[in-house]
Amino acid sequence: MIYDRRPDDMVRITTPALAEAYIEEQVEAIRAQVGPDGKVLLALSGGVDSSVCAALLLRAIGDRLISVHVNHGLLRKGEPEQVIEVFRDRLQANLIYVDATDRFLDKLAGVSDPEEKRHIIGAEFINVFAEEARKLEDVAFLGQGTIWPDILESEAGIKAHHNAGGLPEDIKERFELVEPVKILFKDEVRCVGKALGLPDSMVYRQPFPGPGLGVRCVGAITRDRLEAVRESDAILREEFAKAGLQGKVWQYFTVVPDFTSTGIKDGKRCDDWMVIIRAVNSLDATSATIEEVPYWLLLKIRDRIFREVSGVNRVLYDLSCKEPATIEYE
Ligand code: XMP
């Protein structure tokens, strides 16, 4: 059955058995909607919603699902590789991988205004995806990982939900939408993802903003600072996982501001970047408290950053809650 809205009396999907029943029902619904030959195109970011949507579509129509993973160069370390490994290698999905790093970084060069950065990243993403879509003339359906809170938020005027809205007219009018997780809350999407066999690191992934590391490389993005953000973030995530904090702390990441401070390296003055560690807990991102990260863990992360990330001479720990701070730096 294809639902337009979440039924008022719908049972919350919290168990593997309920997830299986949902999957079965949606597989039938997808097959009925797209027919025996219909093809579906999907932008697969590797986030929870698009990954679960892709896995469901894959279960229903196999290689008639064409997923496009756009690497905007602002993804976390290992993310594009994980999408390829899980979907192309493990699940045998028909996956188009586009490394558009240079395109994005060229457009972003010298741009320091956060909203302009967001706009450039969003617009360029649509350009890259639309270019891929235009190459696939025989595809009539567009899959989307819209979830129920997206719909509620756009109805309440809080935020326009990110999906097809931004696409150019020629693309929009060509496609019929397929949205198989549209009536689910986030915890239900995770439950369904787990039942579909997606790895925990994908299903229980912490929230990650669309503009990615771009808003954590404060000010105008440069490749060296972006690398410092990516490498320090990877160290932070690895050490949090080893300490059992993965999945327990709501969101944790590193930030590199666009100014240097004085330090000493090999007896000589060096003006290098600083890495800020941020770890917060929240229910819905409207407010946040800081995670009290154990001191020994902070020192271990500091030591690894100094050893493994070049161009960094200072590591700081952010004590700010939301409000007055926001979670991201820009
Ligand atoms: P703030 O910084 O506003 O962040 O306290 C609240 C939550 O939203 C995420 N965030 C974004 N997500 N696009 C996104 O998709 C964005 O431009 C964006 N900015 C912030 C942030 O990571 C946090 O979870």
Side-chain angles (χ1 to χ4, degrees):
M1 165 128 189
I2 302 170
Y3 297 95
D4 214 31
R5 302 188 63 77
R6 184 182 175 96
D8 288 340
D9 57 352
M10 181 168 151
V11 179
R12 195 91 173 192
I13 296 169
T14 51
T15 65
L18 288 167
E20 286 299 344
Y22 183 82
I23 292 165
E24 242 173 70
E25 188 184 61
Q26 284 305 311
V27 163
E28 286 312 310
I30 293 164
R31 288 181 182 154
Q33 187 185 355
V34 308
D37 306 310
K39 293 184 180 175
V40 180
L41 177 66
L42 174 84
L44 174 60
S45 68
V48 185
D49 305 340
S50 69
S51 296
V52 174
C53 180
L56 252 176
L57 283 159
L58 199 56
R59 178 79 67 96
I61 59 169
D63 63 5
R64 287 188 287 128
L65 167 70
I66 300 144
S67 302
V68 178
H69 179 56
V70 177
N71 179 359
H72 53 25
L74 306 165
L75 298 172
R76 290 174 291 189
K77 190 172 179 174
E79 267 181 334
E81 292 82 357
Q82 187 189 36
V83 170
I84 292 169
E85 196 268 317
V86 170
F87 284 95
R88 187 184 281 168
D89 301 344
R90 221 188 295 174
L91 298 174
Q92 310 285 300
N94 187 350
L95 175 74
I96 297 169
Y97 171 64
V98 187
D99 184 355
T101 302
D102 290 341
R103 267 177 80 157
F104 280 84
L105 294 189
D106 288 351
K107 282 240 154 79
L108 287 162
V111 180
S112 55
D113 178 70
E115 291 316 309
E116 203 183 330
K117 283 164 70 176
R118 278 191 170 81
H119 176 75
I120 290 171
I121 296 165
E124 195 56 13
F125 186 89
I126 285 169
N127 287 340
V128 174
F129 184 69
E131 279 169 28
E132 293 306 316
R134 288 191 189 105
K135 291 181 200 162
L136 302 163
E137 283 170 4
D138 61 338
V139 183
F141 296 89
L142 186 69
Q144 289 199 138
T146 313
I147 67 171
W148 188 235
D150 293 336
I151 293 183
L152 295 181
E153 283 184 358
S154 63
E155 282 176 356
I158 297 168
K159 95 179 167 197
H161 82 82
H162 46 76
N163 298 324
L167 288 169
E169 284 306 319
D170 68 306
I171 304 284
K172 247 195 299 196
E173 64 195 25
R174 229 185 79 192
F175 291 105
E176 179 179 325
L177 293 180
V178 186
E179 299 179 297
V181 292
K182 174 166 111 169
I183 57 170
L184 300 183
F185 285 104
K186 194 82 176 191
D187 58 316
E188 298 176 303
V189 179
R190 293 191 210 279
C191 190
V192 169
K194 188 104 182 94
L196 284 162
L198 293 178
D200 282 2
S201 55
M202 214 167 226
V203 170
Y204 297 108
R205 201 173 102 128
Q206 51 169 314
F208 187 59
L213 302 180
V215 288
R216 297 173 183 172
C217 186
V218 177
I221 298 169
T222 56
R223 288 181 193 248
D224 64 334
R225 277 190 308 116
L226 183 58
E227 241 4 74
V229 177
R230 197 182 334 262
E231 290 300 322
S232 57
D233 171 76
I235 292 169
L236 180 77
R237 285 188 293 132
E238 201 180 306
E239 292 302 330
F240 266 44
K242 277 197 235 161
L245 293 176
Q246 182 178 290
K248 294 202 176 121
V249 181
W250 197 72
Q251 203 172 7
Y252 45 98
F253 54 87
T254 59
V255 176
V256 177
D258 56 351
F259 56 90
T260 58
S261 73
T262 303
I264 313 172
K265 213 172 270 170
D266 303 325
K268 287 201 190 90
R269 176 186 169 125
C270 63
D271 291 293
D272 278 336
W273 307 119
M274 64 188 68
V275 169
I276 302 170
I277 295 172
R278 182 134 178 82
V280 297
N281 288 305
S282 178
L283 286 176
D284 57 6
T286 55
S287 64
T289 55
I290 59 152
E291 169 73 14
E292 291 181 31
V293 182
Y295 200 58
W296 64 266
L297 182 56
L298 288 172
L299 296 185
K300 194 171 172 209
I301 293 165
R302 174 203 65 184
D303 289 345
R304 281 197 60 191
I305 290 174
F306 282 156
R307 257 198 328 268
E308 297 171 38
V309 185
S310 60
V312 172
N313 65 3
R314 224 171 266 273
V315 174
L316 289 79
Y317 177 44
D318 187 343
L319 297 171
S320 323
C321 41
K322 179 177 180 177
E323 302 172 5
T326 53
I327 294 175
E328 303 288 350
Y329 271 53
E330 55 175 30

Short mmCIF file of all heavy atoms in Angstrom, two decimals, residues 45-79:
data_model
loop_
_atom_site.label_atom_id
_atom_site.label_comp_id
_atom_site.label_asym_id
_atom_site.label_seq_id
_atom_site.Cartn_x
_atom_site.Cartn_y
_atom_site.Cartn_z
N SER A 45 23.42 9.63 -0.46
CA SER A 45 24.48 10.39 0.23
C SER A 45 25.27 9.50 1.17
O SER A 45 26.40 9.83 1.53
CB SER A 45 23.85 11.53 1.03
OG SER A 45 23.10 11.00 2.11
N GLY A 46 24.64 8.40 1.60
CA GLY A 46 25.28 7.57 2.63
C GLY A 46 24.72 7.89 4.01
O GLY A 46 25.06 7.24 4.99
N GLY A 47 23.85 8.90 4.08
CA GLY A 47 23.15 9.19 5.33
C GLY A 47 22.09 8.11 5.59
O GLY A 47 21.81 7.30 4.70
N VAL A 48 21.53 8.12 6.79
CA VAL A 48 20.61 7.05 7.18
C VAL A 48 19.40 6.98 6.22
O VAL A 48 19.06 5.90 5.71
CB VAL A 48 20.07 7.27 8.63
CG1 VAL A 48 19.21 6.11 9.07
CG2 VAL A 48 21.22 7.49 9.59
N ASP A 49 18.78 8.12 5.97
CA ASP A 49 17.52 8.11 5.22
C ASP A 49 17.72 7.62 3.78
O ASP A 49 16.99 6.75 3.30
CB ASP A 49 16.87 9.49 5.21
CG ASP A 49 16.68 10.04 6.61
OD1 ASP A 49 16.68 9.25 7.56
OD2 ASP A 49 16.52 11.27 6.76
N SER A 50 18.71 8.18 3.09
CA SER A 50 18.89 7.77 1.69
C SER A 50 19.42 6.34 1.61
O SER A 50 19.09 5.61 0.67
CB SER A 50 19.79 8.74 0.92
OG SER A 50 21.12 8.69 1.37
N SER A 51 20.20 5.91 2.60
CA SER A 51 20.72 4.54 2.56
C SER A 51 19.60 3.52 2.77
O SER A 51 19.55 2.49 2.08
CB SER A 51 21.78 4.33 3.65
OG SER A 51 22.88 5.16 3.40
N VAL A 52 18.71 3.80 3.71
CA VAL A 52 17.60 2.87 3.96
C VAL A 52 16.65 2.86 2.75
O VAL A 52 16.18 1.81 2.32
CB VAL A 52 16.86 3.22 5.27
CG1 VAL A 52 15.63 2.34 5.46
CG2 VAL A 52 17.80 3.08 6.46
N CYS A 53 16.42 4.04 2.20
CA CYS A 53 15.58 4.15 1.01
C CYS A 53 16.19 3.32 -0.13
O CYS A 53 15.49 2.56 -0.81
CB CYS A 53 15.50 5.63 0.64
SG CYS A 53 14.50 5.97 -0.80
N ALA A 54 17.51 3.44 -0.31
CA ALA A 54 18.19 2.70 -1.38
C ALA A 54 18.08 1.19 -1.13
O ALA A 54 17.79 0.42 -2.06
CB ALA A 54 19.66 3.11 -1.45
N ALA A 55 18.30 0.77 0.10
CA ALA A 55 18.27 -0.67 0.41
C ALA A 55 16.86 -1.24 0.18
O ALA A 55 16.71 -2.37 -0.30
CB ALA A 55 18.73 -0.90 1.84
N LEU A 56 15.84 -0.45 0.49
CA LEU A 56 14.46 -0.91 0.27
C LEU A 56 14.16 -1.03 -1.23
O LEU A 56 13.59 -2.03 -1.70
CB LEU A 56 13.50 0.12 0.86
CG LEU A 56 12.74 -0.24 2.11
CD1 LEU A 56 11.92 0.94 2.59
CD2 LEU A 56 11.83 -1.45 1.92
N LEU A 57 14.57 0.00 -1.98
CA LEU A 57 14.35 -0.02 -3.43
C LEU A 57 15.10 -1.17 -4.08
O LEU A 57 14.59 -1.85 -4.98
CB LEU A 57 14.78 1.31 -4.04
CG LEU A 57 13.79 2.46 -3.80
CD1 LEU A 57 14.47 3.82 -3.96
CD2 LEU A 57 12.62 2.36 -4.78
N LEU A 58 16.30 -1.39 -3.58
CA LEU A 58 17.13 -2.47 -4.11
C LEU A 58 16.45 -3.82 -3.89
O LEU A 58 16.43 -4.68 -4.77
CB LEU A 58 18.47 -2.42 -3.37
CG LEU A 58 19.67 -3.10 -3.96
CD1 LEU A 58 19.93 -2.59 -5.37
CD2 LEU A 58 20.89 -2.82 -3.08
N ARG A 59 15.89 -3.99 -2.70
CA ARG A 59 15.18 -5.23 -2.38
C ARG A 59 13.99 -5.41 -3.35
O ARG A 59 13.69 -6.50 -3.78
CB ARG A 59 14.69 -5.15 -0.91
CG ARG A 59 13.89 -6.30 -0.39
CD ARG A 59 14.72 -7.51 0.00
NE ARG A 59 15.61 -7.34 1.14
CZ ARG A 59 15.33 -7.68 2.40
NH1 ARG A 59 14.16 -8.18 2.69
NH2 ARG A 59 16.23 -7.54 3.34
N ALA A 60 13.35 -4.29 -3.71
CA ALA A 60 12.15 -4.38 -4.54
C ALA A 60 12.46 -4.55 -6.01
O ALA A 60 11.82 -5.34 -6.71
CB ALA A 60 11.28 -3.13 -4.33
N ILE A 61 13.46 -3.81 -6.52
CA ILE A 61 13.64 -3.79 -7.99
C ILE A 61 15.06 -4.08 -8.45
O ILE A 61 15.37 -3.97 -9.64
CB ILE A 61 13.17 -2.43 -8.59
CG1 ILE A 61 13.93 -1.25 -7.98
CG2 ILE A 61 11.66 -2.26 -8.43
CD1 ILE A 61 13.71 0.06 -8.73
N GLY A 62 15.97 -4.42 -7.52
CA GLY A 62 17.33 -4.82 -7.90
C GLY A 62 18.05 -3.77 -8.73
O GLY A 62 18.08 -2.59 -8.37
N ASP A 63 18.56 -4.21 -9.91
CA ASP A 63 19.39 -3.26 -10.66
C ASP A 63 18.58 -2.27 -11.49
O ASP A 63 19.16 -1.48 -12.25
CB ASP A 63 20.44 -3.99 -11.52
CG ASP A 63 19.79 -4.87 -12.56
OD1 ASP A 63 18.54 -4.83 -12.69
OD2 ASP A 63 20.52 -5.59 -13.26
N ARG A 64 17.27 -2.25 -11.29
CA ARG A 64 16.48 -1.16 -11.89
C ARG A 64 16.52 0.09 -11.01
O ARG A 64 15.97 1.13 -11.35
CB ARG A 64 15.05 -1.61 -12.16
CG ARG A 64 14.97 -2.58 -13.36
CD ARG A 64 13.57 -2.89 -13.76
NE ARG A 64 12.92 -3.78 -12.81
CZ ARG A 64 11.74 -3.55 -12.24
NH1 ARG A 64 11.06 -2.45 -12.52
NH2 ARG A 64 11.22 -4.41 -11.39
N LEU A 65 17.21 -0.02 -9.86
CA LEU A 65 17.51 1.17 -9.05
C LEU A 65 18.90 1.66 -9.48
O LEU A 65 19.86 0.89 -9.47
CB LEU A 65 17.55 0.82 -7.56
CG LEU A 65 18.16 1.94 -6.69
CD1 LEU A 65 17.23 3.14 -6.62
CD2 LEU A 65 18.47 1.44 -5.29
N ILE A 66 18.98 2.93 -9.85
CA ILE A 66 20.28 3.52 -10.19
C ILE A 66 20.58 4.58 -9.15
O ILE A 66 19.90 5.60 -9.07
CB ILE A 66 20.26 4.13 -11.61
CG1 ILE A 66 19.92 3.01 -12.61
CG2 ILE A 66 21.60 4.76 -11.97
CD1 ILE A 66 19.08 3.46 -13.74
N SER A 67 21.60 4.30 -8.32
CA SER A 67 21.95 5.24 -7.27
C SER A 67 23.12 6.09 -7.72
O SER A 67 24.03 5.58 -8.38
CB SER A 67 22.35 4.50 -6.00
OG SER A 67 21.30 3.68 -5.58
N VAL A 68 23.09 7.36 -7.34
CA VAL A 68 24.21 8.25 -7.67
C VAL A 68 24.78 8.77 -6.36
O VAL A 68 24.07 9.37 -5.55
CB VAL A 68 23.74 9.44 -8.54
CG1 VAL A 68 24.91 10.38 -8.83
CG2 VAL A 68 23.12 8.95 -9.84
N HIS A 69 26.06 8.50 -6.13
CA HIS A 69 26.72 9.03 -4.94
C HIS A 69 27.66 10.16 -5.37
O HIS A 69 28.64 9.92 -6.07
CB HIS A 69 27.51 7.92 -4.23
CG HIS A 69 28.23 8.40 -3.00
ND1 HIS A 69 27.59 9.03 -1.96
CD2 HIS A 69 29.54 8.34 -2.65
CE1 HIS A 69 28.47 9.33 -1.02
NE2 HIS A 69 29.66 8.94 -1.42
N VAL A 70 27.31 11.38 -4.97
CA VAL A 70 28.12 12.53 -5.33
C VAL A 70 29.08 12.84 -4.17
O VAL A 70 28.63 13.12 -3.06
CB VAL A 70 27.24 13.78 -5.61
CG1 VAL A 70 28.10 15.00 -5.90
CG2 VAL A 70 26.27 13.51 -6.75
N ASN A 71 30.37 12.78 -4.45
CA ASN A 71 31.35 13.16 -3.44
C ASN A 71 31.69 14.63 -3.67
O ASN A 71 32.34 14.97 -4.65
CB ASN A 71 32.59 12.27 -3.59
CG ASN A 71 33.67 12.63 -2.57
OD1 ASN A 71 33.50 13.55 -1.77
ND2 ASN A 71 34.78 11.91 -2.62
N HIS A 72 31.22 15.48 -2.75
CA HIS A 72 31.48 16.92 -2.92
C HIS A 72 32.80 17.34 -2.30
O HIS A 72 33.11 18.54 -2.20
CB HIS A 72 30.30 17.78 -2.44
CG HIS A 72 29.82 17.53 -1.04
ND1 HIS A 72 30.61 16.99 -0.04
CD2 HIS A 72 28.61 17.75 -0.47
CE1 HIS A 72 29.90 16.92 1.07
NE2 HIS A 72 28.68 17.36 0.83
N GLY A 73 33.57 16.36 -1.87
CA GLY A 73 34.89 16.67 -1.31
C GLY A 73 34.82 17.12 0.13
O GLY A 73 35.84 17.45 0.74
N LEU A 74 33.59 17.16 0.69
CA LEU A 74 33.42 17.64 2.06
C LEU A 74 32.88 16.53 2.96
O LEU A 74 32.30 16.77 4.02
CB LEU A 74 32.47 18.85 2.07
CG LEU A 74 32.89 19.99 1.12
CD1 LEU A 74 31.76 20.96 0.89
CD2 LEU A 74 34.12 20.71 1.66
N LEU A 75 33.04 15.29 2.48
CA LEU A 75 32.58 14.14 3.25
C LEU A 75 33.65 13.76 4.27
O LEU A 75 34.81 14.14 4.15
CB LEU A 75 32.30 12.95 2.32
CG LEU A 75 31.19 13.19 1.30
CD1 LEU A 75 31.13 12.04 0.30
CD2 LEU A 75 29.85 13.35 1.99
N ARG A 76 33.23 12.96 5.27
CA ARG A 76 34.20 12.53 6.27
C ARG A 76 35.11 11.44 5.71
O ARG A 76 34.75 10.79 4.72
CB ARG A 76 33.45 12.02 7.52
CG ARG A 76 32.78 13.16 8.25
CD ARG A 76 31.92 12.69 9.36
NE ARG A 76 30.74 11.97 8.86
CZ ARG A 76 29.73 11.60 9.61
NH1 ARG A 76 29.74 11.86 10.89
NH2 ARG A 76 28.70 10.97 9.08
N LYS A 77 36.23 11.25 6.37
CA LYS A 77 37.18 10.24 5.91
C LYS A 77 36.49 8.87 5.83
O LYS A 77 35.82 8.46 6.78
CB LYS A 77 38.36 10.19 6.87
CG LYS A 77 39.51 9.35 6.35
CD LYS A 77 40.72 9.50 7.24
CE LYS A 77 41.84 8.63 6.72
NZ LYS A 77 43.09 8.83 7.47
N GLY A 78 36.64 8.20 4.72
CA GLY A 78 36.11 6.84 4.58
C GLY A 78 34.66 6.75 4.13
O GLY A 78 34.17 5.66 3.86
N GLU A 79 33.95 7.90 4.06
CA GLU A 79 32.52 7.82 3.72
C GLU A 79 32.23 7.36 2.30
O GLU A 79 31.43 6.43 2.12
CB GLU A 79 31.84 9.16 4.00
CG GLU A 79 31.24 9.20 5.37
CD GLU A 79 30.54 10.50 5.67
OE1 GLU A 79 30.87 11.54 5.08
OE2 GLU A 79 29.64 10.46 6.51
#
